[in-house]
Amino acid sequence: QYDKAIANTQEAMKSGATSKDYELLYRVYAIKGDCGNALQNLDKSLGGRPADEKGLKLRNACYFKAKDDAKRVVVVQELVKRFPNKEYFTALTDLYRGQKVDDRAMLNIYRYGFEKDLLERDADYVAYADQALNAGGENEALKALEKGVAKKLIKTDDQNNRTVRLLNSTKTMA
């Protein structure tokens, strides 16, 4: 069924292709799981314009499938920049951690996520606080941990918990 749609569209395109034709092909190839052809037709459908959110998500999915983290980083950065949400931010921080991005860059990434309210896991708040402490920002670390507590992401009922100890020591330092 999909192969027939592809063949018919390609036949019709012989008399003149439009961006809508390429868009149809990219969507059909994406449904089939053929990322190479999907991305090729996505690029042709855009005609030099930036991809929309769906197009960027398709790129991300294809690069994930191909295990190409370098290209994924570029795409997910664009998603976070143009369509900021917690899912994209979490994917970006996970990619950066996997690539062992330097501490200063990670601190700035966490600052951006904190400012835009994109942090969604207790580990994000703790990692942000750790990065801030390493950079000498005790007040910044405390602010991050307290926001994590306020959002009920960081539990404070177990005094032996590493995060609670970090919170308490940060309060003392700040």
Side-chain angles (χ1 to χ4, degrees), residues 13-157:
M13 291 169 69
K14 287 179 182 175
S15 63
T18 67
S19 63
K20 292 290 182 190
D21 295 325
Y22 288 114
E23 183 178 343
L24 175 63
L25 284 176
Y26 110 69
R27 291 182 188 279
V28 174
Y29 280 121
I31 291 168
K32 286 183 63 171
D34 182 345
C35 284
N37 280 316
L39 292 176
Q40 184 180 20
N41 283 285
L42 172 61
D43 290 339
K44 289 178 181 177
S45 77
L46 294 171
R49 296 182 326 271
D52 62 4
E53 187 173 9
K54 285 181 185 178
L56 289 170
K57 286 173 74 171
L58 171 69
R59 281 190 201 287
N60 183 42
C62 287
Y63 295 146
F64 176 80
K65 186 176 176 183
K67 295 181 172 58
D68 191 338
D69 285 348
K71 288 183 179 176
R72 279 192 70 214
V73 164
V74 173
V75 171
V76 176
Q77 284 173 335
E78 188 70 15
L79 281 165
V80 169
K81 180 179 163 188
R82 291 180 43 211
F83 311 101
N85 72 38
K86 292 177 181 184
E87 175 189 351
Y88 302 149
F89 182 79
T90 299
L92 185 61
T93 57
D94 288 347
L95 283 165
Y96 281 155
R97 273 196 292 273
Q99 292 187 338
K100 299 187 179 7
V101 170
D102 93 351
D103 289 346
R104 195 70 172 159
M106 280 306 293
L107 177 58
N108 287 328
I109 292 159
Y110 283 120
R111 283 175 173 154
Y112 174 83
F114 187 80
E115 178 186 312
K116 301 285 186 181
D117 197 28
L118 300 175
L119 282 69
E120 69 175 347
R121 303 177 295 197
D122 62 338
D124 293 330
Y125 286 96
V126 173
Y128 175 31
D130 280 337
Q131 294 291 339
L133 282 173
N134 291 339
E138 293 85 5
N139 288 328
E140 183 178 6
L142 180 60
K143 187 174 160 185
L145 291 171
E146 286 179 338
K147 186 170 182 180
V149 169
K151 288 184 158 234
K152 299 186 180 358
L153 292 172
I154 296 176
K155 309 288 186 245
T156 58
D157 49 355

